[in-house]
Amino acid sequence: MTKEATNTPGPRSSWAGKAVQLADIEQEMSILWKISADNMRTGQNSGVRTSVLNLVICAPDIESAERASKLLRTLASTHLARVAVIILDETIPAASVSAWITLRCFSMLSDLMRHCFEQITLTTTGAASRSIARILQPLIKPDLPTYLWWLGDPPADGTTSFKGLVEISNRVIVDSTSFFHPEQDIRALAALSQEMPDCAISDMNWGRVTSWRQLVAQFFDVLDYRPYLSGVTSIEIEHAAAPLAAPIRSELGDVSPNPSCALLLAGWLKKSLDWFISPQTASSARRDTATGTYHWELERASAASSAHLVGAPRAKTGKLGAPETVAIDIRPQVQSHMRPGSICLVRLTSSVEGKRATFTIDREGDPDHVLTSVEMTRETRPQRTVSLAAEHKESELLREELEILGHDYLFEDTLQEVAALLQ
């Protein structure tokens, strides 16, 4: 980009920092570091300039970018090396790039030490947006992993700007709770995972599902219940939806209805139980995208010895028989005081040698606790109240993602399972 194309009108908020020319970013950043060092009282404060990673935050608008920038205050413990906040605007034909820089400093160990990291904010329009990877690459710290945090829906058509950023990243982070088009976006991510296998893909919603996966697996830690794992015939999952007629994004970025959490849990269970889609069952799928309601009829091998939930012991079963039909149902549950997309209920129904068992995890409208119960033929076991950790904050989920560099193969396999269900 030419120098004349930079610093056209753009965001003028304090969070973005000082407006600079694109070619002068490194020089101006060095000046900020010098000013910061000069302002410290010698012997009482010391600046910490740690180079650990590059974090690229790609936002669709100024409001999303500012919200993400504020969230970085809680990530001081991850010692971010350089943050690049990018606002892409391809609606304006003329190509332009505007740049701002700031130094974000926070106290560590009281006021005796400060941790600082650099933030670069770029706003691009027209052809510059499509060339953002080429513009950004010289600004990335070399020899450090690069994380791309893509806010909002990933482009289904694999636009040049998105693919270019993916190619220069080691890990791509999304949050499917903010997807306006969950089905389309999940299929797009699954296709991207196969097209670019060297880039790890992760979803912060997968972290929200972790406690539910653990609760399901814990049922089958009990020796008496273990045989029922291979006999599961139906799965029911309910997700919270706001009492609204049309999809809308909340101040926290949530979209309702959004069954992404429920879909991820269903995909994990399908894979763990070794259920499969057959030509006979493929036509039975029913879904209502507008409400987040789904029904699938699948098949499993009779007495499937391969059924194994992550975290639960394997059940010993007999020989495999003819395939049996099983079902997965996902439906919304209107909840005005619960974050849209949160899982409200999980129920597994199993039948083994004529004996029936139902395993239920029910929130019953309580955002902080669930009731786990087991009902068996002629017997109902006592309910157990389990404290469900409050919904993970976005900053905590992002921090966990930034601590992982390689692939999360279980998530990526689950993503493919969900995409297969949505075909």
Side-chain angles (χ1 to χ4, degrees), residues 53-57 72 75 80 82-84 147 149 398 402:
L53 57 87
N54 298 290
L55 175 60
V56 179
I57 304 174
L72 296 177
L75 296 177
L80 301 179
R82 173 164 286 184
V83 177
Y147 294 74
W149 181 20
L398 180 59
L402 295 179

Side-chain angles (χ1 to χ4, degrees), residues 91-106:
T91 61
I92 301 176
S96 67
V97 181
S98 301
W100 295 262
I101 62 170
T102 186
L103 202 58
R104 307 286 298 277
C105 296
F106 308 102

Side-chain angles (χ1 to χ4, degrees), residues 73-254:
R73 176 179 290 275
T74 63
L75 296 177
S77 63
T78 58
H79 306 292
L80 301 179
R82 173 164 286 184
V83 177
V85 180
I86 302 171
I87 305 169
L88 296 177
D89 187 354
E90 298 186 30
T91 61
I92 301 176
S96 67
V97 181
S98 301
W100 295 262
I101 62 170
T102 186
L103 202 58
R104 307 286 298 277
C105 296
F106 308 102
S107 297
M108 298 178 62
L109 304 176
S110 70
D111 290 330
L112 299 179
M113 181 178 292
R114 292 197 303 173
H115 167 68
C116 301
F117 63 86
E118 306 158 340
Q119 178 177 314
I120 300 169
T121 302
L122 300 177
T123 299
T124 65
T125 63
S129 295
R130 296 187 287 276
S131 303
I132 186 59
R134 180 172 59 84
I135 295 170
L136 180 66
Q137 194 155 22
L139 304 177
I140 291 177
K141 295 277 189 178
D143 303 320
L144 293 177
T146 299
Y147 294 74
L148 170 63
W149 181 20
W150 184 275
L151 304 181
D153 300 68
D157 57 352
T159 59
T160 304
S161 57
F162 180 60
K163 280 196 172 182
L165 290 172
V166 172
E167 287 174 352
I168 63 173
S169 303
N170 300 98
R171 191 172 179 84
V172 177
I173 304 168
V174 299
D175 187 354
S176 58
T177 195
S178 65
F179 289 173
F180 257 111
H181 309 286
E183 293 183 20
Q184 173 182 296
D185 297 337
I186 288 173
R187 289 197 298 267
L189 288 175
L192 180 68
S193 178
Q194 292 184 325
E195 183 180 349
M196 298 184 173
D198 292 336
C199 184
I201 297 178
S202 60
D203 182 355
M204 288 196 281
N205 243 353
W206 184 242
R208 297 185 182 100
V209 175
T210 298
S211 57
W212 290 88
R213 292 190 291 120
Q214 291 172 341
L215 286 172
V216 172
Q218 285 170 11
F219 278 128
F220 304 100
D221 286 339
V222 180
L223 188 61
D224 290 346
Y225 303 155
R226 202 165 298 169
Y228 290 97
L229 176 59
S230 61
V232 175
T233 56
S234 71
I235 298 168
E236 300 169 68
I237 305 173
E238 295 183 359
H239 59 93
L244 299 170
I248 189 171
R249 193 184 302 277
S250 70
E251 293 182 358
L252 296 175
D254 302 327

Side-chain angles (χ1 to χ4, degrees), residues 304-359:
S305 60
S306 58
H308 174 60
L309 299 178
V310 175
R314 289 186 180 272
K316 294 181 180 180
T317 58
K319 295 181 179 180
L320 301 181
E324 297 179 354
T325 301
V326 291
I328 299 177
D329 284 279
I330 295 176
R331 51 184 175 264
Q333 183 184 115
V334 175
Q335 292 284 353
S336 58
H337 61 286
M338 199 174 292
R339 290 190 66 173
S342 301
I343 296 177
C344 302
L345 176 140
V346 177
R347 179 178 292 120
L348 279 65
T349 302
S350 178
S351 180
V352 175
E353 297 179 353
K355 296 180 181 179
R356 181 185 175 91
T358 303
F359 304 88

Side-chain angles (χ1 to χ4, degrees), residues 18 23 35 37 62 112 132 168 183 186 225 247 261 270 278 295 305 321 354 360 413 421:
K18 175 185 177 182
I35 293 173
I62 295 174
L112 299 179
I132 186 59
I168 63 173
E183 293 183 20
I186 288 173
Y225 303 155
C261 272
K270 173 183 177 293
S278 70
H295 170 80
S305 60
T360 305
D413 289 346
L421 286 173

